[in-house]
Each structure stands twice: as structure tokens, then as C-alpha cells.
Amino acid sequence: MTSTHVHSGRVINYRPEIDGLRTLAVLPVILFHAGFTVFSGGFVGVDIFFVISGYLITSILAAEIAEGNFSILKFYERRARRILPALFFVILATVPFALAWMLDGDIQNLGRSIMSVAVFASNLFFWRNTDYFDPASGEQPLLHTWSLGVEEQYYIFFPLFLLVAWKLKKPGLTLFILCVIGVSLALSQWGATYHPALNFYLLPTRAWELLAGSLAAMLLFRQQPAVTVPSFSLYKAALAITGSVMVLYSIFEFDEATPVPSLYTVVPVLGTCLIIMFASPRCLTGKVLAFKPMVAIGLISYSAYLWHQPVFALYRVSPFQLSAYDSQVFLVLILAVFALAWISWKYVEAPFRYKNRVSRAAVFKWAGASMVALLAIGGTLNVLYTAKADPLAVTVPDCPDFQVGVPGLVCKKIGNGAKLAVFFGDSHILPLIDDFKEEPGVTYMFLSVMGCAPLVGLERYDGMGFSGNCDKPGQIKQYADYVARLAPEKIVLVGRWTLYMQGWQKKNVLQKQHHLLQLDTGEKGLTPSQVVSTGIDATVNYFARTTPASRLYILEQVPDIQMFGHVRAVVSALGDNVPRAAVDAWDKDERALLDSKTQGGQLSLIHTKQYFCDATTCEIGKDKQYYYLDDNHLSPSGAKLLTEPLKMAIAD
């Protein structure tokens, strides 16, 4: 999310409408990440930034190459002056709040992300670790730096590429860039279908967006080498308006289910190119974008982009949750973001741009020192906050004939007794495993399909690739078939039932556009609660038919504290106990549904609340031991509270 202003009257004139275009990019991104669903496609602001960056950098380089004074050293000096000061400042400001409010594992993850930022590889780090559209990603302070990684990797190669390509004559250069754009775009369309995470984060599938801006700069430069401001004509004004409509359509009509980048992304990218190439100061589009408030926001857009994600993420893990007023809170946070952006722009960004204040030698020394400092800070956090054994990282697939090597599938067997009890469900099974020990005459088997309700006849349909093991018809039934073939004495269904009944209801954390479950027949018209109810009935009937001797249980969800936030922040604000009324209000529909399903005698309900809650409060920790890993998964100490009650509930 960068830009450079070069004031050279012979070649490059300042274009205020480009700063206004930055505003059109940064505001939708911020509002999208704040959870304002009207800006459902606000994430395309990043694509707009890529085009702007390609245009501005290429304009500068083309001018320097044409004049014969191109210097790779000067190019990277400008990048260092523009990128590093504000980035370093924001990261330093983020760390103390993260230490106060985040869990150890999340702090370790932050440390690793800081190290990746230091070497401009954060896009690679988040590709391996984070789904951008997963609600939990809203709690990662540096997630947005993936785009800086893409840009800086692009600018490792592009100056030399342009220097070599410049030797081609105009038609040859244009054709060459178009071919590279075509290859990258085709790769992104393929990746959107087969490798969406790789496609989203990596340079090869994003390069065409930056190159589109570069091509726009080359076309303007070759047509008007003395002035790079578009001339006015009615057809050019119409094309600029068309570009604006394309950009606005993408911002308001795209959503999280739109594959990006892909052929869909051509709409905002081409629209941005049309604005850049045809919006003159005399046309309507140019006048709107050059409006002083638009320009003012555009000038601080880089700092605003840097600040918004840490501010939002730290609020989401802070002890100051006001979920009933999230819309108002996030409006205040957005104002805070722009206040911080102005401060860092005026006192951090701007001073480094002037050579009379900071020399080239000082810039490179400072850049090297800051990168070393970021590596040291990140490495220290990574070492000091090494997460303890994560119950959600169980990977031992030691069940016979089970699918091995499939991410998100876990099967763990404990003991070799004749009596078999199988726990079948989503990731909420995993914390329970470590506290079960071998017992004479008993075998415990834990079968977890992360993110998937253990209910036959249903499927996930959020389309984000978050739970690929249950987003197709019949997938859950395959795992149920495996359980049935074991003919266990006891089957315990485990799941985060409020999630499956209500969807992602934590406001302003990149909510899904849809609820998470549907009938795998594709039938529409049912509420989420009706879908879950139908799934429970189908599962009870399925096991009654396939393994009639098995006794079926369903485990009540443990108290869900998402309305308060992450456990560490909650404990720091409220202590070891939270009001039970809020927990009961959240899961009352779950309790009513599960109670109703046990009336026929085929399904038994195992209660959990009494092991955490009294009449007025629910305990979420004790003696500095948290009972949760986050806001819904139990920690090892929390799981210990359930082990013996679970064994007793399923005992003869």
C-alpha cells in the first residue's frame, strides 16, 4: 500500500486524483475489516492499491530510464524511506498491547509474523497459517502486511525487468507486458479453483494486478512523454466514469464467496486502470477524486492501512468488549485509526522523505538496523512464548483403516479393552484426549473432523475452504460409516452446537455471509436450528439402523465465552468468573434443542455447565490456569474438569 511522489516538471506532474483514488481503496478495506457488511467487497481495495502502486512506481522508473539516470540504489532508497519508518513504528506500538491481552500461542504467532515482515515474506507466512476470510483472522494484528510482502517481492524483480524490456520498441514492450499479465491472470483463475489460499497470498497470481498499473503508466508515458496527466475529451471522461462504476460495483457487490484474485478481479483492476488513464482534472471523476478531503485521506492512506488491522485486532482480544455496541465502537476505532495515521504520517513518514533531513547513508543504516530489530523482537517472542502442547494439534492417526495424512482429520485410540467408547465430532474433542488414560477392559477412540458437525445428511457450505472435509454431500457419512463398522458400545457426539445453529455471530470479525450448515441434498428454506435438528434426527436413526446395540450420547457444549472475548483478556478484565446470564442467553436455543432430542430415549444428553458454572457465574480459570485456549475450546486444565464426569456418564 505504497506510493511515491516525484516532482519533475519535465516528466511527472502531481495528480491529486491519484491520492483520491487511494482513498477509494483504503476506506472500503477498513470498513470491510470493521465488519460493515454493506462494504462486502471492500477487500478489493488491496487490488486497487496494487494497480496504483504499479502505475506510480513505473512512472518514476520510466522517467529515469528515459533520462538515463536510473539507479537501483536510488530506487531502493525511496522504498526504504516510504515503507519502513511507519511500519516499524506501528509494530513497536502493537507489541505491548499484544503482550497484555493475547494468549501465549497467539503471541508466539505474532513473533513469527514480525520476523516474516522483517524479511518481506509475511504473505508466505500467512499463506501457510491463515485463511484471510476466517473470522479468527480478524484477531491477527499483522495479517494485512501480506500485501506489503507481495509488493516488495514484485519490486525485487520489476526494475530490472523494466530496464531490459525498455530496449524493446513500443509495440513489442506492450505485447510483452500483456503476455505476462495474461499468464499471471490465467494462473490466478486456476489457483482460485484449486489452491485458493496460495492464489490469494502469493506473487505469481497477484503480479498481473501490479503489471496492469505498470502498463497504464507505460501507455500514458509513451503517448505524452512531456506530461503524464490525461488530456480531456468526452470519451475519456466517459471511460473514467465507467472505471469508477466498475470499482464501486466491486466494493458493494463482491463478497467473501467471490474468488480473488480471479477473472472477477478484472472488474476492479480494469476499472482502476481506466480511472488512472482517463480521469483528467477537468472531468467529473477527476474533480471528485481531487476533492480536498479525498486527497487528504489519500495522503495518509499508507499509515491508515498500517494502523487499522492492529487497532481492530487488539480491540477484539482486549478486555473492553462492548459487543452490544460494536457498530458504534468500530466507528470510534476508525476515527482513532485516522488520528494515528495523521500522527505517524506527519512525524514518522514525512521526515524520512527529505534527503536534507535524513541522508541516503543514514536511511540504509536505519533500514538495516530496523530489520535486525524486528527479527530480534519477533525471535524473542517466538522463544519466550513457545506454546505448550496444543490440544488442537493432535495428529496421531493410529486408528486402523482410517484416512491418514488428511489435514483436519484426527483419530486417536487409547487402550485395548473389549468395551469400546467412541467420541465423534469436531475440534472440541481434541482437548479431551490427553486426559484419558488406558483402563482395564476399556478402549477409548476419538474421531475428530475439525470444523465439521458429526451429523449425517449435512454439509458445510461457507465456500471458504475452511473445512474441506465436510463441504461435499456424504462426507460426514463416510466418517459415521467408520464409527458404525467399529460397533462400539457407546458413541458420544461432540460439537460446538451454537456455531452450527447460529453461524458466526461474533460481530465485526469478518462474518460469513451464510450460516455454516445445510442439508447435503441442497434443499433450501430451513433455518439453521431446523437444519441441526434434522441432522440430529438423521444421525440417531442412522446409528440405530447400522449399529443398533450402540448407546448414543450427545455432549452439551461447554460454556461459550465468545461474547466476552479471548480468555486471557477476559480474566484480566473480569477475573476468573463471568456472568452466567450472558452464557445462558447465548446457548438457550442449544439447550432447548438438545433437551427435546433426548425425550425419545434413543439419545442421552451429557451436561457440562454444572462443572463450570454455579447459579450466577461461570468459572473460566483458577489459580492462573485458564480453562480455555480461546473463547470456546477447552485448555488441558479445562478438559480435566470433564474427564471423570464423561467417564461416569457413559459407564454402565
Side-chain angles (χ1 to χ4, degrees), residues 3 20 29 39 81 105 110 182 185 201 229 281 358 368 407 445 452 515 537 542 645 648:
S3 67
V29 171
F39 296 89
R81 288 179 185 274
L110 175 65
L185 176 57
Y201 285 112
V229 176
V358 184
M445 189 172 287
C452 301
H515 292 285
D537 291 340
Y542 172 81
M648 291 176 62

Side-chain angles (χ1 to χ4, degrees), residues 104-176:
D104 288 359
D106 295 324
I107 296 175
Q108 182 189 32
N109 193 60
L110 175 65
R112 292 173 176 172
S113 65
I114 290 173
M115 289 190 289
S116 70
V117 169
V119 294
F120 296 107
S122 58
N123 59 323
L124 302 177
F125 173 80
F126 290 114
W127 162 51
R128 301 295 299 177
N129 294 279
T130 303
D131 174 2
Y132 182 82
F133 294 103
D134 178 357
S137 67
E139 297 169 359
Q140 298 202 41
L142 300 183
L143 175 64
H144 62 323
T145 61
W146 72 268
S147 59
L148 296 181
V150 170
E151 281 198 23
E152 296 316 305
Q153 291 158 22
Y154 178 78
Y155 290 125
I156 290 174
F157 305 104
F158 181 73
L160 298 178
F161 161 81
L162 186 62
L163 190 63
V164 172
W166 193 266
K167 298 179 181 179
L168 298 172
K169 293 182 179 180
K170 177 183 174 183
L173 176 58
T174 302
L175 181 61
F176 183 64

Side-chain angles (χ1 to χ4, degrees), residues 252-307:
F252 293 108
E253 294 300 323
F254 285 9
D255 59 33
E256 295 164 10
T258 306
V260 288
S262 68
L263 290 174
Y264 285 94
T265 321
V266 171
V267 177
V269 168
L270 180 57
T272 306
C273 289
L274 291 175
I275 294 171
I276 289 172
M277 294 184 66
F278 301 113
S280 73
R282 294 175 56 196
C283 75
L284 176 63
T285 303
K287 289 179 179 178
V288 171
L289 292 177
F291 186 47
K292 285 187 177 180
M294 294 284 284
V295 173
I297 294 173
L299 287 172
I300 63 173
S301 59
Y302 173 58
S303 280
Y305 182 80
L306 286 181
W307 278 110

